[in-house]
Amino acid sequence: MSKPVLHCPHAKKCGGCQLQNMTYERQLSFKQVKVIKLLGKYRHVDEIIGMPHPYHYRNKVQAAFGERGREIISGIYQSSTHKIVPVDRCLIEDEKADEIIVTIRKLVKSFKLRAFNDEIMKGFLRHVLIKRGFSSGQVMVVLVTGTMEFPKEEPFVNALLSRHPEITTIVQNVNNKRTSLLLGEESRVLFGDGYIEEDLCGFRFRISPKAFYQINPTQTEVLYNKALTFAELTGKETVLDAYCGTGTIGIIASPRAKGVVGVELNADAVKDAKVNAGLNGVENIEFYEDDAGRFMVKEAQRGARYDVVLMDPPRAGASQEFLRSLVTLAPKKVVYISCNPETQARDLAFLVKNGYRVKKIQPVDMFPHTEHVECVVSLMRK
Ligand code: SAH
């Protein structure tokens, strides 16, 4: 029996945890059924791997800042609106990050700074983004501001550090555009290195403000271990890590492969990936900054050979271009990690029609209490 759901006072207004009202056990079976409906026609779906303690798992927390009357408020945007729901504690977010956000709100008030108003596009503090390395203990605070000018910068930074000595770096990012993107173009390091490091599966990774990094580190280890088991590497394979982010999966796979190539669109992530290879002394890996689809077409044209392709695309899934070139490259194995079983089902249909057989389907619960499902699938060339 799983325990009853903890009560969240913000649930209705926030809307982020769509499965709030179910026990955790029910949530898991809800997700299992969803995957069976979408992918079950290809193969038996193994039982979803849940979390023993499905709370405070998010290592990345962001809060929007605004003003209500003369008060500074911080919290989450109400689903599909721009209205801030004031939230101090969230059941899925890292508790330390939530504490730091409350401190920042108090400091903004005591330093008589303003929150950004995105209707008139004026003011100072717009968002706070925090990333915490659960195993390294490092904490990065990104203050997203409407202006580059930071009134009372030094005393503000010092006050924040004295209240939270666990903070290892503080970055200011300027975002003065009308956009739903959190971060703007320009950044400035106010304290520390401007990035944090984190340990995962026995390797060390640099995480910078803009690069993608899995938000649930506990389950990421479970997910990656499954993906690598499915890849069945023996040390002789040439592996492609497509949509590689900061190179995590490829680097973890590298000791078991002859060579690894990673491809990723986000320039900051590719920079981190190269640093990460160095941090871990990995020499049999190369990273390319490119659209994965375009890269695959080029690889297919030059007759490249890959034994195993690990792919982990964003919610939209892989492009047609990517899938067609994948079939041309014809690796013996494909391990497809996805955070959206709908697009994964669409892409599997193509691969199954074009010479691949599904061998294993393993859902992993990366996002407890939300409706999101992560799934890793292994395919073999027929
Ligand atoms: N495998 C990584 C990242 C997965 S998230 C990890 O586990 O951490 C998906 C990644 O795909 C993101 O880093 C995103 O920047 C990248 N991406 C999105 N569209 C892309 C494209 N068209 N080509 C290559 N990479 C892309």
Side-chain angles (χ1 to χ4, degrees):
M1 267 296 287
S2 75
K3 283 180 245 134
V5 199
L6 294 183
H7 178 69
C8 171
H10 312 294
K12 276 216 179 84
K13 278 189 175 165
C14 163
C17 293
Q18 303 87 355
L19 308 186
Q20 270 278 340
N21 295 325
M22 298 180 191
T23 60
Y24 189 51
E25 221 163 52
R26 274 279 298 129
Q27 293 181 18
L28 291 177
S29 60
F30 173 89
K31 293 183 184 187
Q32 182 78 13
V33 168
K34 185 167 176 179
V35 176
I36 291 173
K37 270 192 196 145
L38 287 162
L39 309 179
K41 61 182 167 224
Y42 298 115
R43 197 78 184 180
H44 169 78
V45 177
D46 288 349
E47 195 183 333
I48 185 166
I49 306 172
M51 289 185 85
H53 304 289
Y55 296 100
H56 303 295
Y57 58 82
R58 280 193 70 104
N59 58 7
K60 174 183 148 188
V61 173
Q62 57 202 51
F65 276 68
E67 292 179 7
R68 189 165 291 170
R70 298 186 59 190
E71 283 308 305
I72 305 283
I73 57 166
S74 65
I76 340 195
Y77 286 125
Q78 191 164 2
S79 297
S80 48
T81 73
H82 240 227
K83 234 183 108 196
I84 296 171
V85 182
V87 172
D88 282 358
R89 290 193 64 235
C90 163
L91 288 170
I92 65 173
E93 290 172 355
D94 177 49
E95 291 176 285
K96 185 48 83 181
D98 281 347
E99 278 172 30
I100 294 173
I101 289 166
V102 171
T103 302
I104 291 173
R105 194 181 62 228
K106 290 179 181 158
L107 288 178
V108 167
K109 192 177 154 110
S110 66
F111 277 84
K112 297 195 168 54
L113 295 170
R114 300 289 301 263
F116 190 77
N117 178 332
D118 59 10
E119 273 161 30
I120 56 170
M121 301 298 284
K122 278 214 170 82
F124 182 62
L125 189 62
R126 194 170 185 181
H127 298 276
V128 171
L129 164 70
I130 294 178
K131 295 188 181 187
R132 188 163 84 87
F134 281 13
S135 55
S136 71
Q138 299 186 10
V139 179
M140 167 164 61
V141 174
V142 185
L143 303 167
V144 185
T145 61
T147 55
M148 181 55 97
E149 197 210 334
F150 193 148
K152 303 169 210 151
E153 174 190 321
E154 208 183 303
F156 186 94
V157 166
N158 288 339
L160 181 55
L161 288 171
S162 71
R163 283 164 184 76
H164 293 281
E166 65 278 12
I167 295 173
T168 51
T169 188
I170 304 177
V171 177
Q172 179 191 1
N173 174 272
V174 183
N175 187 353
N176 50 16
K177 300 229 163 69
R178 279 190 197 280
T179 166
S180 58
L181 292 180
L182 185 82
L183 297 177
E185 293 287 316
E186 275 182 287
S187 285
R188 199 157 70 90
V189 178
L190 306 180
F191 172 75
D193 294 326
Y195 56 82
I196 54 165
E197 288 180 359
E198 171 67 323
D199 302 301
L200 192 71
C201 298
F203 291 82
R204 192 137 182 113
F205 295 101
R206 171 185 290 197
I207 307 170
S208 41
K210 281 192 184 169
F212 175 90
Y213 191 81
Q214 299 285 352
I215 59 101
N216 182 337
T218 316
Q219 292 297 86
T220 300
E221 291 207 336
V222 173
L223 180 78
Y224 285 178
N225 284 331
K226 273 289 163 194
L228 288 184
T229 307
F230 287 175
E232 298 177 299
L233 299 174
T234 65
K236 292 191 190 127
E237 295 80 7
T238 302
V239 176
L240 179 69
D241 178 6
Y243 308 90
C244 69
T246 53
T248 42
I249 302 176
I251 288 171
I252 295 165
S254 64
R256 299 181 230 178
K258 186 169 132 211
V260 182
V261 172
V263 61
E264 161 64 43
L265 194 58
N266 180 311
D268 288 344
V270 175
K271 248 187 241 155
D272 284 357
K274 288 178 180 166
V275 169
N276 288 335
L279 270 180
N280 294 288
V282 174
E283 284 174 354
N284 61 342
I285 197 161
E286 279 169 48
F287 292 103
Y288 295 92
E289 179 191 331
D290 204 346
D291 166 74
R294 206 165 42 212
F295 180 82
M296 289 293 269
V297 171
K298 284 187 265 179
E299 289 298 88
Q301 277 165 358
R302 75 172 182 93
R305 284 190 53 97
Y306 290 102
D307 303 297
V308 178
V309 171
L310 305 168
M311 56 186 282
D312 186 8
R315 292 188 58 76
S319 62
Q320 265 299 307
E321 206 182 22
F322 180 95
L323 293 170
R324 271 199 295 268
S325 305
L326 178 61
V327 168
T328 309
L329 284 166
K332 206 156 61 193
K333 280 188 210 111
V334 175
V335 179
Y336 186 158
I337 302 174
S338 164
C339 56
N340 183 354
E342 264 120 30
T343 53
Q344 191 175 30
R346 176 200 70 200
D347 295 349
L348 289 186
F350 180 86
L351 293 175
V352 165
K353 229 182 269 159
N354 288 279
Y356 283 86
R357 188 160 45 88
V358 174
K359 266 185 70 190
K360 280 283 212 182
I361 303 178
Q362 176 67 67
V364 177
D365 193 21
M366 298 282 280
F367 316 103
H369 313 293
T370 77
E371 63 194 354
H372 300 290
V373 193
E374 187 93 11
C375 197
V376 48
V377 172
S378 77
L379 299 111
M380 281 278 271
R381 208 177 59 219
K382 278 183 219 156

